[in-house]
Amino acid sequence: AADRAVHDAIAFARCQGHLVVAAAGNRAQNFDDAAGPLWPGAWERERAPSPEECERKYGFVTRGPKERDDAYAPLLFSVGANDALDRPLASARLKARPPLTAHAHAIATRDTLPNPPELAPISGSSLATAAVSSVAALVWSVKPDLTAAQVMQHVYDAGVDLYDGSQGEADFSLAPGQHAPRRTVRRVSLCRSLMGALGVALEKCEDTPKAYGGKDRPIGELWSVAPSQSGSAYYYAAEE
C-alpha cells in the first residue's frame, strides 16, 4: 500500500541517520470534527528503527553516531501550528497537538499560481514544518556531530513552554512506555535554538514574536487589513 511505502521510505531515511520532519495536519472546512494527527505526522508515536533493525531490514549499519537508548528518537518529528497569540490555528485538528509547534498564521509568501507570483498570506501546519526544519538545519550546521534526535532535543529544549500543568501535555508523542514522561507543547525558537548551539546567553532572545510591516504593528493586526494595503508585510516566525 502507498502508506506502507511512505513509512518504509521514512524508516530507511532514519536508518541513514537523516532527520524527518512532518506536519501534524489541518482539518478541511467541511470536517469540523476531524480529530487526531494526519499521517505521516502521526508516526511520531513510533520509535525510529534500531541499528539492529536497520541491518536486518536494509542490510547496512546505521550511519553516524548511535542514538542513546533513552533518547527521544521517534520515526519522525511532527509539527503543529499556532497563531500570533500562541493559540492553535482555527484549522488545527482536534487532539492533534504534537510536542513542537511554530507560528504559521498568515505567513506572507509568494503564491506560485498567479503569473507573475503575488504576495499572499498562507496558514497551516505545513508552513510550521518548514520553520522547524529550517531551525533544525541551522542547529545541525553549527553542531554537525549531533544525531538527528539530539538536534531535535536541542530544538525542543530551547523552545518556549506554551501552557502550564497538564494543559501543556502534547496530544501525541512517543508512547510513555518508550519514553517517559509525556512531552509538553513548546513553540520553536530560532533565536534560543541557535544561540544555545553557539553558546551565547539566551537572555539576548525574546520569547514574544514580532510582526513587521511598513511600520511596526501589534501582533494580530498584520493581516487585519488587505495585503495590498500592508504592502510587503511579513509575519516573522523568529524572534529577532
Side-chain angles (χ1 to χ4, degrees), residues 37-123:
L38 294 176
W39 282 269
W43 285 328
E44 180 163 346
R45 291 180 288 209
E46 296 185 26
R47 189 165 182 83
S50 66
E52 295 75 22
E53 291 171 327
C54 293
E55 185 174 12
R56 183 171 60 252
K57 187 167 185 178
Y58 301 114
F60 62 83
V61 179
T62 305
R63 294 181 179 178
K66 180 182 177 181
E67 302 283 8
R68 292 167 51 102
D69 291 338
D70 60 349
Y72 186 85
L75 182 64
L76 55 75
F77 294 84
S78 187
V79 181
N82 289 345
D83 64 16
L85 299 178
D86 279 333
R87 303 169 301 191
L89 293 186
S91 60
R93 297 174 64 83
L94 303 176
K95 299 180 180 179
R97 294 187 307 171
L100 266 178
T101 68
H103 290 292
H105 175 253
I107 305 299
T109 186
R110 292 289 178 183
D111 191 335
T112 58
L113 293 180
N115 189 13
E118 297 176 355
L119 191 69
I122 301 178
S123 306

Side-chain angles (χ1 to χ4, degrees), residues 10-45:
I10 294 172
F12 183 83
R14 293 292 278 119
C15 284
Q16 295 273 7
H18 298 309
L19 170 62
V20 181
V21 184
N26 312 308
R27 65 183 179 194
Q29 294 181 355
N30 56 336
F31 288 99
D32 292 337
D33 59 344
L38 294 176
W39 282 269
W43 285 328
E44 180 163 346
R45 291 180 288 209

